[in-house]
Amino acid sequence: MDAHAHVFRPVAASPRGCDDLAPAERDAPVEELLVAMAGAGAAHAVLVPLDGADDYVAEVVTERPATFAGIAVATAPEQGRTPTDPVRALIERRARYPFVALRSGWLGDPGSGAAASPMLPVLRDLAEGGIALWSYLPPDQLPLLHEAVRLVPELRVVLNHLGFIPHGMWIDRHRRPRFIDALAPPLVDDLLRLADAPAVHLMVSAQYALSADDPPYPDLFAPTRRLAAAFGPDRLLWGSDFPWPAVVPGYRTLPDLVAAALPDLTPTQLTDVLGGNALRLFAGHFAAHPPRKKEH
């Protein structure tokens, strides 16, 4: 199971934000992802919109709920940054399609802390509804996450892309996002503290964007192994980050990066990281939408 993939259409076909990474004409339709998944033996995927304009992801998940689960990217109303009640905004957002996690790059004012944040009621509502927080936080927000998992210990959290802090992105010649010094030792030390919260999970993904080496990205082995040892194999999820690495290094090669970085995993543990853990995390969604039986 691919626990983190992006699908989107050109802006003319489905409105969304655009930037240097995803200009208006760039296209990553779900049909291309399905072909890549089939080649790698992936039966399910979690789809992450590029931003709050998630019409296309909602459409795909609604049409293929047995194959895909969806993430929503938080906007100002769900974050409590408008006069709107953020919990009501979250409920109204979910009425469009049943997303299984909310991705956010903001948890509150760093000077005030999570206890005073307008997002705290949202985090509690997510926890009550079994919806995960898909964490993609810049540096000044990470302390609020430490506080939030203490305030709402039952909240399931997934740290995106080895927990790295998004900063200084540039686009390489393969049209992929890249980051410099993405997993510096002080950040890894900070992330290790989150492993004490049993509901926090870690995504083993996006090595292509974080490494200065060629596959299998040996410069990431040491921090990946430190993080994996702290979180344990039952809280690790594999994701492709499609479409960015779909051609280089290639979708089919991406699952093999887990075994290369974590050679001490048993076959059962490796299977869990490559899909079993994600399926358990989102079991409610897939149990509610079993595959349709083929008619003969």
Side-chain angles (χ1 to χ4, degrees), residues 75-97 99 102 118-126 128 131:
T75 61
E78 297 90 38
Q79 294 172 331
R81 303 171 85 174
T82 70
T84 304
D85 175 4
V87 173
R88 179 171 294 277
L90 181 68
I91 293 170
E92 291 175 353
R93 187 92 179 269
R94 285 203 84 223
R96 295 183 57 247
Y97 79 106
F99 52 82
L102 183 71
M119 262 203 89
L120 183 58
V122 173
L123 299 181
R124 287 176 171 149
D125 191 73
L126 292 175
E128 184 177 346
I131 304 168

Side-chain angles (χ1 to χ4, degrees), residues 4 48-52 71-81 90 93 99 101-108 117-120 122-123 126 132-138 141-142 144-145 155 157-160 164-166:
H4 190 103
V48 185
L50 297 181
D51 54 27
I71 305 296
V73 176
T75 61
E78 297 90 38
Q79 294 172 331
R81 303 171 85 174
L90 181 68
R93 187 92 179 269
F99 52 82
L102 183 71
R103 188 183 202 188
S104 185
W106 188 87
L107 292 180
S117 173
M119 262 203 89
L120 183 58
V122 173
L123 299 181
L126 292 175
L133 174 68
W134 222 245
S135 173
Y136 195 61
L137 300 172
Q141 290 290 307
L142 194 56
L144 283 92
L145 181 59
L155 175 67
V157 178
V158 176
L159 304 174
N160 289 187
F164 92 107
I165 299 297

Side-chain angles (χ1 to χ4, degrees), residues 1-6 32-46 68 238-257:
M1 177 173 172
D2 184 344
H4 190 103
H6 304 280
E32 290 184 3
L33 174 60
L34 285 166
V35 170
M37 289 169 58
H44 308 280
V46 177
F68 298 114
W238 168 73
S240 71
D241 206 25
F242 177 93
W244 321 128
V247 176
V248 178
Y251 191 101
R252 178 62 189 86
T253 70
L254 298 174
D256 297 335
L257 299 177

